[in-house]
């Protein structure tokens, strides 16, 4: 009932403001060029560098710090977590823009994200950081900020009045990326995990093969997603609960959803595999998503023979068939692949297929 009331209120806002459809603001690439220009970095990011993903697209760059990542594992293991109340205040114009975007999605039968996720409110400078502040993120905050970053919305009867998404992204003092602590965005905490299989010293990886019209065929991590509020709530009372444990729990959950390997906090699992050595590998902010924070981790599974690889693949097929046509479970649309370390870093995807 609450959701229906909010939708109806949004439709009323839309009638009042009579917004046009969203229009492109300054070129997306122009904004990204500013984001990845080290001259625009604030003092908090003086140790950060820019790197492109393997596909070499300019808009797929990210910023990261080798110095911070070297100590990421040990520092996240010490950091306590503080859940703050989300304080994204919307102006009346922003509420109207939000109402327009939501109602437009509904009228065009588009899916709406309405989950309760977690965002981060702390810049990861471990020289000064002793606690990570996180916040709950709801759909209205996400739509009115993150989905606006490369767009403007204007009102027909006030052509000079523009609600600018660029202002959400760029710091007016540096003309570069805003610090997380001074950001208007949700800063959803992205998570990615790679599973390394050690078969008596021979290394394999579990990856997913993602195919779409934009990227073609691309290898992506064993599991990727965002931290859910329940990842925090289910563990917040544990005495040794740290930011590293939150990342680990969330990454294991995503792994269970995408690769159907269900690993508990003590590393016991549904396939009785020898799971060892979870490690937080790195942190980056994604340029194409206005500095969205993403964390990367790895877990090692030691196998006695290649027959255990077959067991992992058979388990994946079992769940894919089980969820086919299910209304309560989501069928994984990507294809899980187990590939040797040599082939992952050297072979072309067409050859693997």
């Amino acid at each position: 009932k609450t959701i229906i009331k909010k939708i109806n209120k949004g439709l009323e806002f839309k009638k009042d403001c009579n917004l046009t459809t969203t229009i492109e603001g300054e070129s997306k690439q122009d904004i990204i060029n500013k984001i990845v220009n080290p001259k625009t970095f604030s003092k908090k990011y003086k140790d950060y560098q820019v790197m492109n993903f393997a596909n070499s697209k300019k808009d797929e760059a990210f910023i990261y710090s080798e110095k911070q990542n070297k100590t990421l594992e040990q520092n996240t293991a010490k950091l306590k977590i503080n859940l703050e109340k989300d304080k994204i205040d919307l102006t009346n114009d922003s509420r109207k823009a939000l109402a327009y975007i939501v109602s437009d999605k509904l009228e065009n039968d588009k899916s709406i994200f309405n989950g309760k996720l977690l965002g981060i409110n702390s810049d990861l400078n471990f020289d000064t950081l002793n606690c990570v502040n996180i916040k709950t993120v709801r759909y209205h905050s996400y739509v009115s900020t993150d989905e606006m970053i490369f767009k403007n919305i204007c009102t027909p009867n006030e052509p000079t009045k523009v609600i600018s998404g660029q202002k959400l992204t760029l710091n007016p003092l540096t003309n570069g990326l805003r610090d997380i602590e001074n950001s208007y965005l949700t800063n959803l905490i992205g998570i990615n995990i790679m599973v390394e299989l050690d078969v008596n010293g021979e290394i394999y990886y579990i990856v997913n093969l993602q195919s779409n019209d934009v990227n073609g065929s691309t290898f992506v991590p064993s599991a990727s997603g965002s931290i859910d509020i329940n990842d925090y709530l289910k563990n917040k009372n544990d005495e040794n609960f740290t930011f590293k444990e939150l990342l680990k729990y969330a990454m294991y959950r995503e792994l269970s959803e995408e690769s159907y390997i269900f690993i508990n906090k003590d590393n016991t699992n549904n396939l009785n595999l020898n799971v060892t050595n979870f490690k937080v590998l790195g942190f980056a902010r994604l340029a194409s998503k206005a500095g969205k924070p993403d964390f990367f981790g790895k877990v090692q599974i030691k196998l006695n023979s290649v027959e255990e690889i077959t067991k992992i693949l058979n388990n994946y097929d079992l769940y894919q068939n089980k969820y086919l046509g299910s209304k309560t479970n989501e069928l994984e649309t990507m294809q899980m692949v187990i590939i040797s370390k040599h082939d992952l870093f050297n072979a072309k995807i067409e050859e693997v297929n």
Side-chain angles (χ1 to χ4, degrees):
K1 291 182 179 179
T2 303
I3 293 174
I4 292 174
K5 286 180 181 178
K6 288 184 178 180
I7 291 173
N8 288 336
K9 188 174 182 180
L11 293 173
E12 290 175 8
F13 264 129
K14 183 181 177 183
K15 290 178 183 177
D16 292 340
C17 64
N18 190 31
L19 291 173
T20 65
T21 55
T22 54
I23 60 171
E24 292 300 320
E26 183 176 358
S27 163
K28 177 179 178 179
Q29 191 57 56
D30 289 341
I31 298 175
I32 289 176
N33 288 341
K34 294 176 182 177
I35 291 175
V36 299
N37 183 354
K39 293 181 180 180
T40 67
F41 290 1
S42 73
K43 293 181 179 178
K44 292 180 182 178
Y45 287 85
K46 62 181 179 359
D47 295 323
Y48 278 67
Q49 303 92 43
V50 180
M51 182 177 287
N52 282 13
F53 285 110
N55 58 18
S56 298
K57 291 183 179 179
K58 288 184 179 180
D59 62 347
E60 294 299 334
F62 58 91
I63 64 173
Y64 77 106
S65 168
E66 289 187 4
K67 176 184 175 183
Q68 300 292 346
N69 283 344
K70 283 180 180 178
T71 59
L72 189 65
E73 165 76 7
Q74 63 190 65
N75 281 309
T76 53
K78 296 184 294 186
L79 288 173
K80 294 297 183 180
I81 305 168
N82 175 46
L83 179 63
E84 298 181 327
K85 186 176 180 181
D86 190 10
K87 298 179 181 179
I88 296 182
D89 296 322
L90 301 179
T91 64
N92 194 49
D93 284 336
S94 294
R95 291 182 187 279
K96 291 179 180 181
L98 166 62
Y100 182 86
I101 295 170
V102 173
S103 58
D104 185 62
K105 285 178 178 288
L106 290 171
E107 289 177 344
N108 288 283
D109 295 323
K110 293 182 179 179
S111 59
I112 334 180
F113 164 78
N114 198 33
K116 295 180 181 179
L117 303 177
L118 287 180
I120 192 169
N121 267 353
S122 298
D123 290 290
L124 294 190
N125 186 337
F126 297 120
D127 295 332
T128 58
L129 192 65
N130 53 28
C131 177
V132 174
N133 294 317
I134 59 174
K135 60 185 177 183
T136 55
V137 175
R138 292 183 176 273
Y139 175 68
H140 73 275
S141 299
Y142 179 79
V143 169
S144 60
T145 56
D146 297 52
E147 289 201 1
M148 279 281 292
I149 55 179
F150 299 116
K151 295 180 180 178
N152 292 334
I153 293 183
C154 65
T155 308
N157 57 358
E158 294 182 85
T160 59
K161 188 173 184 180
V162 176
I163 302 170
S164 172
Q166 179 178 323
K167 291 180 180 178
L168 299 171
T169 307
L170 301 181
N171 182 335
L173 298 178
T174 66
N175 203 30
L177 187 63
R178 289 182 181 270
D179 296 342
I180 289 177
E181 292 172 1
N182 299 316
S183 173
Y184 294 113
L185 304 182
T186 58
N187 289 309
L188 292 179
I189 306 174
I191 47 174
N192 309 268
I193 185 170
M194 285 291 289
V195 177
E196 182 180 274
L197 304 176
D198 183 344
V199 187
N200 298 318
E202 190 172 351
I203 303 300
Y204 295 83
Y205 290 99
I206 294 178
V207 295
N208 282 300
L209 184 58
Q210 182 182 54
S211 299
N212 56 49
D213 294 337
V214 178
N215 296 318
S217 295
T218 306
F219 282 135
V220 295
S222 311
S224 301
S226 300
I227 297 186
D228 190 285
I229 182 62
N230 289 323
D231 297 328
Y232 170 78
L233 295 177
K234 289 179 180 179
N235 297 281
K236 67 175 184 176
N237 295 324
D238 291 356
E239 184 179 352
N240 298 319
F241 189 46
T242 63
F243 190 54
K244 176 185 175 181
E245 291 302 310
L246 175 62
L247 293 171
K248 176 182 175 181
Y249 186 90
M251 288 180 186
Y252 279 4
R253 174 186 52 75
E254 284 290 344
L255 185 64
S256 71
E257 294 173 2
E258 296 187 16
S259 298
Y260 310 122
I261 300 174
F262 299 83
I263 305 177
N264 301 312
K265 287 188 287 187
D266 61 359
N267 285 338
T268 58
N269 55 87
N270 60 320
L271 296 177
N272 294 318
L273 301 170
N274 183 12
V275 177
T276 63
N277 194 26
F278 171 84
K279 186 175 182 180
V280 181
L281 295 177
F283 163 77
R285 296 186 68 187
L286 309 184
S288 64
K289 296 186 178 180
K292 177 182 177 294
D294 260 36
F295 291 85
F296 302 83
K298 184 184 77 170
V299 64
Q300 187 179 65
I301 299 179
K302 292 189 176 182
L303 306 179
N304 294 318
S305 66
V306 291
E307 282 72 23
E308 288 190 282
I309 289 182
T310 303
K311 180 167 70 171
I312 295 172
L313 291 170
N314 287 341
N315 177 71
Y316 178 82
D317 290 339
L318 176 67
Y319 274 92
Q320 284 287 79
N321 291 329
K322 180 180 179 181
Y323 290 164
L324 186 63
S326 171
K327 294 183 179 179
T328 57
N329 297 98
E330 183 178 350
L331 184 68
E332 185 56 45
T333 56
M334 292 186 290
Q335 177 188 349
M336 189 183 82
V337 176
I338 296 181
I339 183 172
S340 71
K341 181 178 180 179
H342 175 270
D343 286 343
L344 178 61
F345 291 104
N346 295 284
K348 295 181 179 178
I349 290 177
E350 289 77 12
E351 294 173 351
V352 175
N353 285 335

